[in-house]
Amino acid sequence: MKKLVLATVLALAAVSVFAQNSLVDEPNPETIGNDSAMQSLREISLDKFEREGAWSVHMSPDYGVISARQFEGNPAMKEPLKEDVDAGVQDTHVLGVKVEFFRRGINSFYINSQRPVPIEGITKTISMWVCGRNQDHELYVLIEDYFGRNYELFMGTLGFSGWKKLTAVVPPSPDSEHGIVQHSVYYGDKPGLRIIGFRVDCNPMQARGTYYMYMDDLRCVTDLYDMENHDEDDMSDAW
């Protein structure tokens, strides 16, 4: 009897751990800030890193030298969006970043878009495919909210080999005044965020030698309900 009880407890614990890992790895956009059944969620590709010179990199010259360039390739596990396939959108390159450290220390490096990447609607999650080279540096996405305020969202550590999809959850504002505000009834009808770039905080013990990382297919899941259900005869408040 004791063995049966112990086996049952271990099985339930395994299911619980699996469920927690699933929630951490793949957050459900339908439950993020959802206070209404009226949602129209869509996954949108924001940048496939196909344009040469669209992203710049920099770090403190006291800690090392950084460079970036495009490479041909794609994550094998990535599933293309149907609308991109139908439109014949090109997706054959990734962005590679190379960091040559002078010495170990507490430092960061940045990958910035030459122009902020706008997102329409109410963003639920931001995701990107990353090749991390199995070092425990931390990746953050840098965003600008409706009022132009800057925030950073944790996407995950780079302590894995090969490609992995990293996802950041955009927490909803409790009152459209505090936190990350994506829309406001007081300042027009054009909701949305802008992605400024990314920051990698280096693990001080592993920030040595040469480090490589690769990025592909920046996406988001956004709620376009208000935009898709806007009455045709309703006036726009964006003047």
Side-chain angles (χ1 to χ4, degrees):
M1 183 66 181
K2 292 182 179 180
K3 292 183 178 179
L4 178 61
V5 172
L6 179 59
T8 303
V9 171
L10 291 176
L12 291 174
V15 171
S16 175
V17 170
F18 176 79
Q20 291 177 9
N21 289 337
S22 298
L23 290 174
V24 171
D25 293 339
E26 293 293 338
N28 184 2
E30 295 182 358
T31 62
I32 299 172
N34 183 17
D35 55 3
S36 169
M38 297 183 295
Q39 288 195 119
S40 179
L41 299 180
R42 287 182 56 193
E43 186 175 20
I44 299 174
S45 182
L46 302 172
D47 198 310
K48 299 181 184 300
F49 300 97
E50 296 292 316
R51 296 172 297 163
E52 188 74 42
W55 295 81
S56 62
V57 293
H58 72 276
M59 68 180 298
S60 171
D62 294 333
Y63 288 99
V65 176
I66 187 171
S67 58
R69 53 165 290 195
Q70 283 185 326
F71 292 89
E72 290 188 1
N74 252 321
M77 296 180 293
K78 184 181 69 174
E79 296 183 4
L81 298 177
K82 183 179 182 302
E83 51 267 32
D84 290 342
V85 175
D86 294 341
V89 176
Q90 184 180 10
D91 186 11
T92 58
H93 292 81
V94 302
L95 178 68
V97 178
K98 176 183 178 182
V99 180
E100 300 172 88
F101 294 105
F102 292 157
R103 60 178 181 273
R104 289 187 297 189
I106 300 175
N107 58 81
S108 304
F109 61 87
Y110 296 82
I111 304 105
N112 290 332
S113 176
Q114 298 288 26
R115 294 183 179 179
V117 180
I119 308 177
E120 293 185 326
I122 306 301
T123 306
K124 302 291 186 174
T125 62
I126 299 171
S127 64
M128 184 172 62
W129 283 90
V130 182
C131 189
R133 288 295 182 264
N134 202 25
Q135 295 193 24
D136 294 327
H137 308 314
E138 296 183 341
L139 176 66
Y140 294 82
V141 58
L142 309 178
I143 63 173
E144 188 178 83
D145 77 349
Y146 186 86
F147 295 129
R149 298 177 299 200
N150 294 323
Y151 294 91
E152 59 186 48
L153 299 174
F154 179 66
M155 297 197 75
T157 65
L158 303 178
F160 54 87
S161 298
W163 287 99
K164 183 178 180 180
K165 183 181 178 182
L166 300 182
T167 303
V169 173
V170 182
S173 170
D175 54 6
S176 296
E177 293 289 340
H178 301 86
I180 302 176
V181 177
Q182 300 196 53
H183 68 97
S184 174
V185 296
Y186 303 108
Y187 299 97
D189 61 353
K190 293 293 183 181
L193 298 176
R194 299 201 302 172
I195 295 178
I196 305 300
F198 302 91
R199 188 186 76 237
V200 177
D201 290 345
C202 301
N203 183 314
M205 299 303 296
Q206 297 179 338
R208 61 177 180 173
T210 303
Y211 177 69
Y212 298 88
M213 67 175 289
Y214 303 87
M215 307 159 62
D216 189 41
D217 206 355
L218 175 61
R219 296 185 184 182
C220 74
V221 175
T222 181
D223 181 8
L224 299 176
Y225 181 86
D226 289 339
M227 303 181 69
E228 293 179 347
N229 292 275
H230 188 83
D231 291 337
E232 294 183 359
D233 61 347
D234 196 358
M235 310 306 293
S236 174
D237 296 335
W239 54 280

